[in-house]
Amino acid sequence: MSSWNTPSGSIGEYTCGQSLTFTFSASPTLGGTILYVLSNNTPLPSGLTLAQTTGVLSGTPAYVGTNSLFNFDVSATEYTPGGATQNIQSFSIEITTLTWSTPAGSIGVFADQTAISYQFVATPSQPGNTVTYAQLNGQLPTGTVSPVIIDPTG
């Protein structure tokens, strides 16, 4: 039976829309090879995958409207010529949303032919992560110079 090197419990807090990589680790105790699979019908957050041969959890967590805790089980299964043995461990991951400093709603009323500049500000839940901005819906006013430049630094 494999022996886990990664302790059970939380593997951390990650911001939705930011790529992540986390490696689960277990050691073979019978001289076999290990495969990592999700167990007990516990899903990963949308946008993440688990590589069976390496134990690498990676991807970009999908948008969550509120901070969300996901619990899941991983089996480190050791395969030997004599068969397979499982060692299941429980983990959790928190996917957090961005914190907006810019209030929602209208950015103002402006006169025709007036140049404007407006700064949107959002803070990632983890220091060191970057925030990328994009216009998802709606229309900019007629006559807006195209392309509109969205500075990813805010």
Side-chain angles (χ1 to χ4, degrees), residues 9-37:
S10 175
I11 63 167
E13 179 181 298
Y14 300 89
T15 305
C16 62
Q18 303 291 320
S19 64
L20 72 88
T21 301
F22 181 89
T23 303
F24 294 101
S25 174
S27 299
T29 59
L30 303 172
T33 58
I34 297 195
L35 290 182
Y36 301 87
V37 295

Side-chain angles (χ1 to χ4, degrees), residues 13-135:
E13 179 181 298
Y14 300 89
T15 305
C16 62
Q18 303 291 320
S19 64
L20 72 88
T21 301
F22 181 89
T23 303
F24 294 101
S25 174
S27 299
T29 59
L30 303 172
T33 58
I34 297 195
L35 290 182
Y36 301 87
V37 295
L38 291 173
S39 296
N40 302 324
N41 292 324
T42 55
L44 290 172
S46 181
L48 299 181
T49 59
L50 176 62
Q52 289 186 346
T53 58
T54 62
V56 173
L57 174 71
S58 63
T60 302
Y63 173 78
V64 291
T66 59
N67 295 352
S68 302
L69 183 67
F70 295 87
N71 296 299
F72 58 96
D73 297 333
V74 176
S75 170
T77 303
E78 184 174 1
Y79 290 89
T80 64
T85 56
Q86 288 185 324
N87 188 349
I88 298 172
Q89 199 137 273
S90 296
F91 299 96
S92 66
I93 184 171
E94 185 169 10
I95 305 300
T96 60
T97 189
L98 298 172
T99 303
W100 281 95
S101 302
T102 306
S106 174
I107 63 171
V109 177
F110 304 95
D112 285 344
Q113 307 298 316
T114 302
I116 66 166
S117 176
Y118 191 81
Q119 183 177 12
F120 296 95
V121 179
T123 306
S125 63
Q126 289 187 309
N129 283 355
T130 57
V131 177
T132 303
Y133 299 87
Q135 179 181 342

